[in-house]
Amino acid sequence: MARKLLLTVLIIALLIELALTGGAFFAPAFTLKQFGVAYGPDTTFLAYIVAWLLLFVSLVAAVAVVQVMRRRPGFATWCYLLGVWWIGIGAGIYFAFGKPDNLLLDSVKGLLIIILTWRCQASRIMARRY
């Protein structure tokens, strides 16, 4: 059960990241506006860097999804990495800019991934003992 929930959360997170990545590459003005940044000559480089960073996170999420689907032993590393990343992003944006929506969206998503990964590992250890 924990594996299915983990897979669901990872797929939803991947879809959100891919949407943000597409927006950052193909509609940078709109994407930066969502983050409260005015698009202009000074922020064009910022939009480019954000797009590549979002693409990298999307790729890591895709690897985590594939690892969980194939039941690979190294899935936990990818999931914990993503969970800590999203908790850090959510908490950092909240404390630096006072935006609670990011704290809820990213940190809760990260915490959920960490808890579900831990549950998946606990169930695998229990299955090996018997």
Side-chain angles (χ1 to χ4, degrees), residues 6-80:
L6 177 62
L7 213 62
T8 302
V9 171
L10 284 172
I11 289 171
I12 291 170
L14 175 61
L15 292 175
I16 291 169
E17 290 297 320
L18 286 173
L20 285 170
T21 302
F25 275 116
F26 302 113
F30 176 76
T31 304
L32 285 180
K33 184 179 176 186
Q34 301 308 310
F35 292 111
V37 177
Y39 185 74
D42 296 333
T43 58
T44 304
F45 180 71
L46 175 66
Y48 185 73
I49 295 300
V50 166
W52 280 100
L53 180 66
L54 288 169
L55 180 62
F56 177 73
V57 174
S58 297
L59 291 174
V60 172
V63 169
V65 167
V66 170
Q67 293 286 317
V68 172
M69 281 181 153
R70 293 183 178 175
R71 301 176 190 263
R72 299 279 188 215
F75 81 96
T77 304
W78 294 101
C79 293
Y80 286 137

Side-chain angles (χ1 to χ4, degrees), residues 39-129:
Y39 185 74
D42 296 333
T43 58
T44 304
F45 180 71
L46 175 66
Y48 185 73
I49 295 300
V50 166
W52 280 100
L53 180 66
L54 288 169
L55 180 62
F56 177 73
V57 174
S58 297
L59 291 174
V60 172
V63 169
V65 167
V66 170
Q67 293 286 317
V68 172
M69 281 181 153
R70 293 183 178 175
R71 301 176 190 263
R72 299 279 188 215
F75 81 96
T77 304
W78 294 101
C79 293
Y80 286 137
L81 177 69
L82 282 172
V84 170
W85 169 263
W86 278 318
I87 289 172
I89 290 290
I93 290 173
Y94 175 72
F95 289 121
F97 303 104
K99 293 189 174 193
D101 53 336
N102 283 84
L103 179 66
L104 289 176
L105 179 66
D106 290 332
S107 293
V108 169
K109 176 174 57 178
L111 187 60
L112 203 60
I113 289 172
I114 287 175
I115 290 169
L116 290 171
T117 302
W118 174 73
R119 290 295 304 144
C120 285
Q121 284 188 303
S123 65
R124 288 180 69 183
I125 290 171
M126 292 298 284
R128 278 191 229 147
R129 288 184 184 170

